[in-house]
Amino acid sequence: MQEFTDKTAVVTGAASGIGRALVEKFAKAGCHVVAADVDAAGLEETRKRAEALGARAIGVHCDVTRQDNLDACADAAYEAFGAVHILCNNAGVLSGGTTWELPIEDYQWQIAVNTLGPIHGVRSFVPRMLEQQSEGHIVNTASMAALTTMPFAGAYHLSKHACLAFTECLYHELRETKLGVSVLCPELINTGIAESERVRPEGFQHRDKDFEVSPAGKMVVDALANGMKTIGLDPSVMADRVHAAIQEDRFYILAEDAWRDACNTRLDDIREGRNPTFAPPTV
Ligand SMILES: NC(=O)c1ccc[n+]([C@@H]2O[C@H](COP(=O)([O-])OP(=O)(O)OC[C@H]3O[C@@H](n4cnc5c(N)ncnc54)[C@H](O)[C@@H]3O)[C@@H](O)[C@H]2O)c1
């Protein structure tokens, strides 16, 4: 897809971080935008920013863990703009802990947002985008965590590995159509993801009222928050990468070399039948 003027872009997780940067990028490129999120105040701020950049913009309350919310989001998008050309399934959350300590609600929450979110988005939008018979592009936000494994963030890694596999399958299925597909695999970006608890939906609260985050879980989230503040990239870098990948019809939108080395080490382990190397990226 080369031309963005008067095209419609839908972005989930648009109230903050990478999602907001995507909305701003598409608005600057001449798109109409549909910003979707559960955070009403953040969503309104994003919508205003898009309008200030000259775009027609609507904000839609949408919990990506629910198929009916994505269906309603698609209805709102088609009603407002008559067509959808770009779909970014971007909403995501993270919590940490050892695989055996992490509460089942945390597994269910991360799978529901990070894996089922993009699945719901694809199921609600792709049939209509195909019917449209126009050029379009779908971008699912996975992570470099989709290509690597680290301790204490098992639910996040598995939800993102599944998102990547799902998106590769989608790519194969759509290759003879006018719809392109990309997977965004960010490295460390300075966003609100370390405060994901702020948007934990009702159905995913801990049933154990005395639950406390384990030391491993706290360590991971603190390290993430600290890393994002010190070496995290600005979310606009991701938006620029996504824009370029859509134009180039490029599937993998990957991080810089240090993260790719970590990914390559894992692939070498698999190829050579070695036990998994602990190889965090050295940035
Ligand atoms: N920040 C990073 O370092 C990093 C690295 C790799 C991947 N990612 C991925 O990037 C994406 C965007 O995250 P971010 O870093 O901008 O974080 P963020 O917290 O700034 O933004 C995430 C957005 O998703 C929304 N959201 C959460 N649950 C939702 C739900 N159930 N329904 C709808 N919206 C919901 C939040 O309200 C928020 O606006 C996520 O998929 C995340 O996993 C981030």
Side-chain angles (χ1 to χ4, degrees):
M1 223 183 114
Q2 296 297 320
E3 189 46 60
F4 290 76
T5 310
D6 289 333
K7 300 288 162 52
T8 303
V10 178
V11 179
T12 70
S16 174
I18 296 169
R20 176 174 284 167
L22 286 168
V23 166
E24 290 180 335
K25 182 76 188 180
F26 293 133
K28 280 186 208 152
C31 292
H32 317 310
V33 291
V34 178
D37 207 292
V38 286
D39 169 6
L43 197 53
E44 181 54 11
E45 170 64 22
T46 299
R47 195 192 61 76
K48 281 189 191 150
R49 287 183 188 213
E51 274 188 352
L53 290 165
R56 290 169 63 199
I58 60 168
V60 179
H61 177 91
C62 174
D63 177 353
V64 300
T65 69
R66 298 184 46 175
Q67 184 76 67
D68 60 352
N69 279 214
L70 265 306
D71 286 345
C73 182
D75 288 345
Y78 277 87
E79 192 176 317
F81 303 119
V84 170
H85 305 89
I86 298 170
L87 170 66
C88 295
N89 292 302
N90 167 76
V93 292
L94 176 146
S95 75
T98 60
T99 50
W100 59 90
E101 283 174 313
L102 195 71
I104 196 63
E105 295 87 352
D106 285 42
Y107 279 99
Q108 289 163 341
W109 175 39
Q110 287 173 81
I111 291 167
V113 179
N114 301 348
T115 311
L116 284 175
I119 293 170
H120 291 152
V122 164
R123 295 185 76 254
S124 294
F125 281 89
V126 168
R128 296 198 209 186
M129 290 172 79
L130 283 170
E131 231 169 75
Q132 244 172 246
Q133 295 281 338
S134 52
E135 267 196 327
H137 209 97
I138 296 133
V139 183
N140 290 341
T141 302
S143 169
M144 287 311 281
L147 298 153
T148 54
T149 53
M150 303 284 164
F152 314 136
Y156 187 75
H157 277 281
L158 77 86
S159 70
K160 292 297 187 177
H161 277 247
C163 175
L164 172 61
F166 169 72
T167 311
E168 287 180 359
C169 294
L170 181 69
Y171 173 83
H172 293 307
E173 290 167 359
L174 290 177
R175 68 187 310 157
E176 302 299 330
T177 73
K178 290 182 176 174
L179 299 182
V181 180
S182 298
V183 66
L184 174 63
C185 296
E187 56 271 63
L188 210 50
I189 316 300
N190 193 6
T191 70
I193 197 160
E195 288 103 45
S196 290
E197 285 296 339
R198 73 193 188 282
V199 285
R200 186 188 282 261
E202 207 38 57
F204 299 92
Q205 301 298 334
H206 297 123
R207 280 181 284 276
D208 175 2
K209 294 289 170 235
D210 299 326
F211 169 77
E212 280 181 24
V213 179
S214 66
K218 198 170 168 341
M219 187 188 71
V220 158
V221 173
D222 288 352
L224 178 68
N226 189 40
M228 287 193 318
K229 279 190 204 105
T230 50
I231 55 162
L233 299 177
D234 190 83
S236 62
V237 177
M238 294 302 104
D240 291 345
R241 279 188 199 162
V242 167
H243 183 264
I246 293 175
Q247 284 192 314
E248 293 160 20
D249 195 18
R250 183 157 41 80
F251 181 80
Y252 293 107
I253 311 174
L254 298 174
E256 302 297 345
D257 287 350
W259 294 83
R260 294 196 195 187
D261 289 346
C263 167
N264 285 331
T265 302
R266 175 169 183 257
L267 292 176
D268 286 343
D269 288 343
I270 294 169
R271 266 193 291 269
E272 292 170 28
R274 295 191 307 236
N275 290 354
T277 306
F278 178 60
T282 43
V283 284

